[in-house]
Amino acid sequence: MAQETAEVAAHLALALDAGGLGTWRWNIATGETSWDPRLEVLFGLEPGGFDGTFDTYVSLLHPDDRASVLGAVHEAVRDRASYVVEHRVVWPDGSVHWLQGKGGVIIDERGAVTGTMGCVADVTEHVHAALERERAIATALESAEKERLSAQRLEFLGLINDALARSATRDDVMRNVTRAVVPTLGDWCSIFVLPAPDSTVPDIEIAHADPAMMAFARELRERFPYDAAATRGVPEVIRTGRSEFHPVIDELIIAAADVPSEAKDVVRSLALRSAITVPLVKRGRQIGALQFVNTESSRSYTADDLALANVIASRVASTLENRRLAEQQRNIATTLQASLLPDALPALPGADIAVRYWAAGEGTTVGGDFYDVFDVDDHWVAVIGDVCGTGPAAASLTALARHTIRAAAWNGSDPEAVLGQLNYAVLRSGKRTFCTALFCTLRPTPAGYRFTVTAGGHPLPVIVRADGRSETFGTPGSLLGLFGESRSTTVSTDLKVGDTVMLYTDGITDLRPPHDLSPDDVEDIVRRAAGPAVSADEVAANLGTEFDTRLAFTARNDDIALLVVKITSPA
């Protein structure tokens, strides 16, 4: 029997040694704690360095792990159960190691728990490997989340870019951006844009994730008008160009707000949770602000949201400034173009006159198309022309053409001579360009008007008779400003009641296929437009619809001028 016991003990010792395990035994009654030499090594002690007290054992446990280890021991004693704990120990040299202890209670012959015993293994390498795996997983998850958020933000910025691209005017920008933002970046989104550089009160557009709240938003704007002198909020952001970021809107922020107490009560009732206000700045000029607000039902804003809001604000500000400059350019072009056309048309007895001018594209460039109607003694002159090119050079030549034609006609020159003088004026202008012109006269007759046409390289007019017949009338002439002498021929016809004449520029016909029009196509369109019309203006309106349907004026690269004369009664 003694031999068997010795063999079992030897086998146990070998197993413990092979597993690097240390053992202990604790007597609850005396507090005596017995460790074998291996356990002392695991706790970082020299052989014989453990004094055999429970308090010393506890002192060697990591401070953050003592409560959990002692709790597990006490629970095992109470429940007469085994237990497993993993914990850290601090060696005398200050290094931290992980140990795993497996223990059980000792019960005497009366069934009372007298202590515990068990073994301990060093699991530092295992724990560090597990922690490293957890860190790697956490890093991978964090990286994946960042990529997801990055992709989400790129997609969101794409939506903002689309909203800006669809915006032709400042009002479009304000409306489209606020609607594109909610609810992705806020339950509320408000944009404030100063209408002019010297303005202090901005125009405001608001969008809410809940459409039913829009009426309430308008009511709030009326109850609490914008206060440009406020020292906090949007006025301060616009004034200073510095963002305001409130990750959490609490009572302190509400109380400090520079608004009436009634407005503070409204803020409380709306349960606002978080807010970002960023400036709209372009070329160093404050042009407005963007505000994003989340309510208590949504998340709080983060620093990343603030960065995203600033990116959006930068793009919005650039678009707003571009639209402002385009509008300014459009106004300049419109004003200049108007100065090159007659302020008003004369009244011709028995004849109705209508004109149209459609600028190509966005209309930010002055075109070279022009028309004019004026009287000369006992008849009237109708002119339409087109200067090659656009911009200031074309505008100056357009003015020269109009004044030259008027001066020559008023001085009694015949039609061919008028175009000859225009040819000479263009050659002497030094502009290195040319123009086309159609010089027409209208002389009253008992039945209507005697109509003459003299062409200088310009598309010929279309005549639609009262009975529906149509013709392209006139003889082509040479371009004006290219040759030393111009060549033109004057032809005439009688216009009677119900007849319609259309003079036009080549912006109607000079288009890429399939939108291009031949003279026959134009004649067909004019015939359809004049057929049901009772006035020249109605004919012009019908023509505008036809031409815009074929290719929108905004998609064209050339302006169109149109002059319609309809004979309504004998002169």
Side-chain angles (χ1 to χ4, degrees), residues 224 227 230-232 253-265 267:
F224 307 107
D227 181 7
T231 56
R232 290 177 183 267
I253 292 177
I254 296 174
D258 187 15
V259 295
S261 58
E262 185 185 359
K264 295 178 182 179
D265 292 339
V267 171

Side-chain angles (χ1 to χ4, degrees), residues 39 52 203 260 269 334 364 388 407 470 513 537 546:
L39 190 55
D203 293 332
S269 68
T334 301
T364 55
C388 179
S470 63
D537 193 71
E546 285 265 7

